[in-house]
Amino acid sequence: MGKIMKQLRLSLVGFGVVGQGLAELLHAKRVELQREFGLDVTLVSVANARHGFIYREEGLDIPTLLELTSAHRPLTEHPDVHQYASALHGLQATQADMLAEVTGTNLRDAEPGMGHIRAALARGMDVITANKGPAALAADELFALARENNAQLRIESTVMAGTPVISTIREGMAGATVHAIRGILNGTTNYILSAMAAGRDYKDVLAEAQAQGYAEADPTADVEGYDTLAKTLILAAVVFGHPLKPEQVIRQGITQITREQMQRAIDNGRRIKLVASLRQTPGNSSTATTFEARVEPVELPLSDALARVDGVMNAITIQTDTLPEVSIIGPGAGRLQTGQGLLADLIAIARDK
Ligand SMILES: NC(=O)c1ccc[n+]([C@@H]2O[C@H](COP(=O)([O-])OP(=O)(O)OC[C@H]3O[C@@H](n4cnc5c(N)ncnc54)[C@H](OP(=O)(O)O)[C@@H]3O)[C@@H](O)[C@H]2O)c1
């Protein structure tokens, strides 16, 4: 007897590295999604900044979209599409069950992602996103908006890409009380610090990371700790229920670390890592509960699991009342690595329906 197939109409806003990665996975795993999850996903709309929003009621052909993009041709050349000037217009004017929001992260006002996510949730669409801006600056508002509209919002890929951190804590560790989290949440800075531990100079390694595509031409967001800060804000809000503003987190990047400092740490059997730490200390009858979040270079002994995580790899250690220490190590970026987190979120939402 055949399974009843769930139909999911997806809108994809942002068609860069991650948007294309998700599209590729949806195409490659189409049969598996049908067989394993009884799920038939139709990509009905795609948007980018240059060509606006295209929509096709019966679904878009993913290989055609990927070919057009790799040939630097406009998405509007896909046959038989309606075009809208912007994603916001398109989202309002068309129908879909779910939005995958993967435009660029902006930590000043979270736009344009914020507007896209608000518009989708307000229409009762479920939302999955890898965009760190909205989750870092307005997680509370967005989860409340989702609840009001009976929609789901999932943000797995915003922290350590598809390596399951948020779902592991919220679902896998449901019922545990998290006391503290420490993490290496930025691959670029970990790559630089790992190379410095091997005797290299900060400037040389940064240039090499830029040449290899690990670091942006403007590396500020990474090396000054803002990217790690964004993930710290997300964990504060979704794990501890303690939303913070960026200025409430002590933040220091890695630009001041010298080769000599690194060498001294190594001589003492330690490693310097850029560590995000979040800690909740419960109060008692005379003291209030305190919550502290920091992003800063820390000297870690080699006995610490985080000290031994090198290169672009990310890692996180979670301390709870029932599981004293759980560590997760995995990729924190990449086309398919990030697409995987979105795919897992999409499946989790669809399973719930
Ligand atoms: N790359 C990773 O490994 C990774 C990992 C975790 C999380 N993330 C997050 O995932 C998101 C996407 O990253 P990415 O690497 O895919 O970035 P990207 O390659 O720069 O792609 C961003 C996409 O958003 C589109 N866009 C920008 N403004 C838009 C607007 N107003 N309306 C519609 N589309 C718009 C861009 O259009 P054009 O193509 O026309 O410029 C582009 O297609 C970011 O928020 C990032 O922080 C990325």
Side-chain angles (χ1 to χ4, degrees):
M1 211 170 69
K3 262 193 215 167
I4 297 173
M5 204 58 87
K6 288 181 195 170
Q7 301 294 330
L8 192 159
R9 291 163 57 80
L10 180 71
S11 176
L12 178 54
V13 172
F15 202 57
V17 174
V18 175
Q20 291 171 47
L22 174 62
E24 198 176 310
L25 287 178
L26 289 172
H27 182 66
K29 291 177 182 279
R30 185 178 175 81
V31 173
E32 203 174 317
L33 289 174
Q34 292 174 342
R35 196 182 53 227
E36 297 291 322
F37 304 101
L39 185 59
D40 188 34
V41 182
T42 306
L43 183 62
V44 291
S45 51
V46 168
N48 65 16
R50 287 160 298 154
H51 315 126
F53 182 99
I54 59 164
Y55 175 78
R56 184 167 181 268
E57 175 78 32
E58 307 76 25
L60 298 161
D61 182 60
I62 291 172
T64 303
L65 295 171
L66 294 172
E67 278 161 29
L68 287 170
T69 304
S70 69
H72 303 287
R73 283 163 53 197
L75 295 174
T76 44
E77 284 186 21
H78 185 294
D80 196 21
V81 294
H82 288 277
Q83 188 191 0
Y84 298 86
S86 73
L88 220 42
H89 280 108
L91 285 169
Q92 312 279 9
T94 61
Q95 289 292 337
D97 303 309
M98 187 185 290
L99 165 68
E101 214 293 337
V102 280
T103 62
T105 288
N106 157 5
L107 292 176
R108 286 177 305 279
D109 61 8
E111 293 297 351
M114 194 67 195
H116 299 152
I117 296 175
R118 273 203 193 108
L121 291 175
R123 301 196 68 199
M125 286 168 70
D126 298 312
V127 174
I128 56 178
T129 187
N131 185 343
K132 286 158 264 180
L137 300 185
D140 258 24
E141 177 201 320
L142 294 175
F143 280 106
L145 187 62
R147 276 192 302 276
E148 276 166 35
N149 291 284
N150 205 13
Q152 289 200 48
L153 167 64
R154 290 183 71 101
I155 59 172
E156 181 62 67
S157 276
T158 59
V159 179
M160 283 174 67
T163 304
V165 170
I166 293 173
S167 59
T168 297
I169 298 174
R170 297 186 65 173
E171 289 148 36
M173 296 181 170
T177 301
V178 179
H179 296 315
I181 287 181
R182 293 181 312 125
I184 294 174
L185 304 178
N186 179 271
T188 305
T189 45
N190 203 44
Y191 174 86
I192 295 173
L193 292 175
S194 304
M196 286 175 75
R200 309 272 313 278
D201 248 341
Y202 171 79
K203 276 202 178 115
D204 296 345
V205 185
L206 175 60
E208 181 188 291
Q210 286 169 322
Q212 294 185 357
Y214 294 142
E216 303 284 331
D218 176 2
T220 313
D222 291 326
V223 298
E224 294 296 354
Y226 291 104
D227 176 70
T228 303
L229 167 65
K231 292 158 181 169
T232 304
L233 296 173
I234 294 169
L235 292 172
V238 303
V239 175
F240 293 92
H242 210 303
L244 295 173
K245 295 197 174 356
E247 54 276 16
Q248 290 176 288
V249 179
I250 293 157
R251 177 196 50 81
Q252 193 190 325
I254 64 162
T255 54
Q256 305 301 316
I257 301 170
T258 61
R259 198 160 70 170
E260 291 67 35
Q261 265 176 311
M262 186 59 94
Q263 192 53 51
R264 256 199 316 278
I266 291 172
D267 292 344
N268 292 325
R270 293 167 171 264
R271 291 288 183 276
I272 300 176
K273 297 290 186 186
L274 182 64
V275 177
S277 53
L278 301 97
R279 175 174 295 280
Q280 180 149 275
T281 312
N284 54 33
S285 53
S286 52
T287 62
T289 295
T290 59
F291 183 67
E292 193 185 32
R294 320 168 69 95
V295 173
E296 62 197 349
V298 179
E299 272 192 32
L300 302 172
L302 278 176
S303 55
D304 189 318
L306 296 185
R308 288 170 273 130
V309 174
D310 283 326
V312 293
M313 217 49 133
N314 284 198
I316 198 163
T317 293
I318 305 136
Q319 290 171 11
T320 82
D321 56 344
T322 48
L323 298 162
E325 193 162 294
V326 173
S327 297
I328 306 170
I329 301 174
R335 172 188 173 92
L336 298 183
Q337 293 85 337
T338 311
Q340 167 56 39
L342 291 158
L343 180 66
D345 278 348
L346 179 151
I347 293 170
I349 291 175
R351 267 178 161 168
D352 237 29
K353 297 276 163 193

